[in-house]
Amino acid sequence: MALTHDDLREAFRSAGYQLWLVGGALRDRLLGIASKDIDYATDALPDAVEELLRGLGAEVSTVGKRFGTIGVRIDGEWVEITTFRGDSYAGGTRWPEVRFGRSIEEDLARRDFTITAFAENAHTGEWLDLFGGEADLRAGIIRAVGDPATRFREDPLRILRGIRFVSQLGFRLEPATGAAMRETAHLIDTLSQERITGELDRLLQGAAPGAGLEALRTTGALAFALPELAGMPGCEQNRFHRFDVWGHSVATVEAIAVTPGTLRLRRWAALLHDLGKPAVRHRKPNGEWGFYRHETVGAELAEALLERLRLGRAESQRIVLLVRRHMDRPDPADRRAVRRFMAKLGGHWRDLLALKRADNASHTYDDTAYHDALEAACARAEAEEAAALRAESPLSGDDLVELFGRPPGPWVGVIKRELSRAVLDGDLAPGDREGAIALARAKLGPRPSAPPQPGSSPR
Ligand code: ATP
Ligand code: MG
């Protein structure tokens, strides 16, 4: 039987343990948005939590146990129950060390930002907002709990978490919090790459990625989290551009059209598409800045960067591919050129078009007509391809019987299979009735006088 939140509460209550709803779920509830994860805090130690949950016959996860967290499946979702923490980050370590706290107040005081430091008592409904988090939430402010620089020194990941919240929530950094981030940004170097990459990845997928990226730059965190991008701010361009390379990249991230399934790929590709520009910038004979081959150099730099970030091999390769191809400009009227363009993109032509359109959003010229034409040409080629892969004979059995004036029989199936194979092999275009008649005639004898009109027979 599936465990419910009521069962959980009741089990903790009757065992004499506190249980508090904490963290992001409360923040999200106040914002009126759906929360993907629910976190509880308790005074029970991890062993006791595990024992209690196993006693309920619940599905339990102990992967986070050494950090004080036991996972449990409730209503089909994983919920985390974490023993109160006390203040105890050993500075300089790659992963924070955990010590347990005695009260919910102590636990809340070690949370990083006011908007994540609420608690609601699961037994009594008591609401705790000790640091003015509700007011900050209403005002759209990211403010550290306690002395910001101290908190960032304890765990520099908080710098990136705060900036990630800027992107996810569209909030701004409270000035003292931002200043402390600048002061401690160099400590990002002490973090494990896995933690840094996790935050950057979420930052890029937020609702206000431009604000998050700008916060990354203004706090100086960019130079430590993504030093490969340090040459972009201040890299001026030419009359085709409204911004420097950084401003243009941020604008492209903001502008790119996304769907849930393409969000990650497209945002990363938008951020990195001009990564090669600072390295290749040169004066052209007319005195303007040129960026010859920046897409090729950029693809190489992006590949090295993504390898270092360990973003995942398949996704990295797709991002690099989009960077490499973002200057491609086939003639939409040239069928072969369009097909070669699509083949190079291995199924990602829609992602590349989204990138090209977003890239153009901060250019000083409008390329929309070209992009529309290219998109239509690609869609057409894809439809043809799909039809070829369906390998439908352009002529139905009825067509053949009517066309050749023969009684139905096994010959109909033989000819249809042959026509299907010709379509699949590319020897016959999908729906090419004339070509199909010619092929059938070569097998069967003379061509009949009048071919039936397209659509005249039901099959
Ligand atoms: P989300 O789940 O949307 O990423 P979150 O704020 O819930 O955001 P979690 O990683 O789920 O983040 O952490 C749960 C809670 O634990 C946070 O709300 C915060 O109160 C606290 N927390 C997480 N990481 C830290 C940290 N590095 N320092 C201090 N408190 C933290
Ligand atoms: Mg959470």
Side-chain angles (χ1 to χ4, degrees):
M1 201 194 70
L3 194 70
T4 67
H5 286 276
D6 285 338
D7 299 335
L8 185 77
R9 264 196 300 274
E10 185 48 33
F12 275 72
R13 200 194 53 75
S14 56
Y17 293 125
Q18 297 179 41
L19 191 66
W20 297 80
L21 196 52
V22 290
L26 293 171
R27 176 194 67 220
D28 294 341
R29 191 172 76 196
L30 290 171
L31 288 169
I33 57 181
S35 195
K36 52 179 175 22
D37 53 26
I38 292 182
D39 302 307
Y40 285 104
T42 181
D43 57 344
L45 291 171
D47 279 333
V49 173
E50 185 181 352
E51 200 186 307
L52 196 64
L53 295 173
R54 292 209 191 274
L56 294 172
E59 200 181 335
V60 170
S61 158
T62 55
V63 290
K65 192 167 174 183
R66 70 192 182 96
F67 305 112
T69 299
I70 303 289
V72 59
R73 225 154 135 94
I74 298 183
D75 295 337
E77 306 283 346
W78 283 102
V79 167
E80 296 195 331
I81 304 177
T82 304
T83 305
F84 291 156
R85 285 174 183 167
D87 181 47
S88 62
Y89 278 97
T93 55
R94 283 156 65 82
W95 287 92
E97 179 195 312
V98 167
R99 236 166 267 141
F100 299 123
R102 275 167 304 279
S103 66
I104 184 68
E105 288 80 7
E106 190 179 347
D107 181 273
L108 292 180
R110 61 145 294 281
R111 290 176 185 268
D112 46 5
F113 297 101
T114 61
I115 60 158
T116 67
F118 308 112
E120 183 181 76
N121 191 312
H123 304 317
T124 65
E126 181 188 357
W127 174 251
L128 282 184
D129 173 18
L130 306 175
F131 308 102
E134 251 188 287
D136 286 343
L137 204 58
R138 268 195 302 274
I141 288 173
I142 305 297
R143 182 196 312 270
V145 169
D147 174 60
T150 306
R151 305 310 310 285
F152 297 148
R153 277 194 201 96
E154 286 169 358
D155 181 7
L157 188 76
R158 292 169 182 160
I159 300 167
L160 295 175
R161 277 176 49 88
I163 294 170
R164 184 250 291 182
F165 288 134
V166 168
S167 170
Q168 287 185 324
L169 303 173
F171 284 17
R172 62 187 190 284
L173 298 173
E174 178 267 326
T177 299
M181 285 179 174
R182 264 188 295 287
E183 194 183 319
T184 55
H186 61 282
L187 297 173
I188 289 171
D189 274 349
T190 64
L191 296 167
S192 74
Q193 189 56 53
E194 186 186 349
R195 296 180 88 202
I196 297 174
T197 298
E199 291 302 331
L200 293 175
D201 201 25
R202 291 156 98 180
L203 185 165
L204 263 182
Q205 295 176 57
L213 289 167
E214 273 301 285
L216 208 55
R217 182 181 66 82
T218 58
T219 56
L222 183 69
F224 298 98
L226 289 170
E228 294 88 343
L229 274 55
M232 289 162 71
C235 185
E236 295 302 332
Q237 307 200 68
N238 48 38
R239 68 195 150 96
F240 303 116
H241 286 271
R242 289 165 37 206
F243 306 124
D244 67 7
V245 173
W246 171 256
H248 167 67
S249 302
V250 171
T252 306
V253 170
E254 277 284 328
I256 198 162
V258 293
T259 58
T262 59
L263 175 64
R264 188 175 193 227
L265 169 62
R266 292 187 183 182
R267 292 272 178 87
W268 274 104
L271 179 66
L272 301 182
H273 79 283
D274 275 349
L275 181 59
K277 276 188 169 174
V280 305
R281 191 170 72 154
H282 57 93
R283 285 275 181 212
K284 295 197 291 189
N286 68 2
E288 285 191 336
W289 289 118
F291 298 99
Y292 180 61
R293 274 174 38 90
H294 74 272
E295 66 278 18
T296 308
V297 172
E300 280 159 22
L301 294 172
E303 189 168 17
L305 163 61
L306 293 167
E307 165 94 41
R308 182 181 72 73
L309 293 181
R310 271 178 268 135
L311 199 67
R313 196 161 179 72
E315 191 79 325
S316 297
Q317 282 173 352
R318 286 190 281 267
I319 297 166
V320 170
L321 180 66
L322 295 182
V323 174
R324 191 186 306 283
R325 302 255 68 98
H326 83 271
M327 298 297 284
D328 283 11
R329 208 183 158 77
D331 175 0
D334 181 342
R335 196 167 162 274
R336 284 155 48 109
V338 168
R339 291 170 71 89
R340 278 197 296 269
F341 164 78
M342 292 172 76
K344 284 181 196 152
L345 283 163
H348 290 283
W349 65 269
R350 283 194 173 78
D351 298 314
L352 193 79
L353 257 151
L355 177 58
K356 289 179 79 67
R357 288 183 189 276
D359 192 4
N360 186 224
S362 61
H363 287 153
T364 50
Y365 57 96
D366 182 6
D367 222 2
T368 306
Y370 171 76
H371 294 138
D372 289 348
L374 180 57
E375 181 162 3
C378 291
R380 209 158 39 235
E382 194 172 72
E384 281 171 20
E385 210 56 47
L389 289 174
R390 278 198 304 277
E392 268 168 35
S393 162
L395 299 175
S396 69
D398 288 350
D399 288 342
L400 288 166
V401 168
E402 195 181 323
L403 276 162
F404 289 89
R406 296 186 180 196
W411 68 274
V412 173
V414 171
I415 297 296
K416 273 186 70 183
R417 267 194 299 283
E418 203 141 319
L419 294 174
S420 305
R421 187 162 323 123
V423 170
L424 185 62
D425 291 348
D427 298 332
L428 184 61
D432 177 2
R433 297 171 64 87
E434 284 296 334
I437 290 168
L439 269 181
R441 188 182 52 195
K443 289 278 163 193
L444 292 169
R447 181 187 172 159
S449 48
Q453 290 308 299
S456 66
S457 60
R459 292 193 300 123

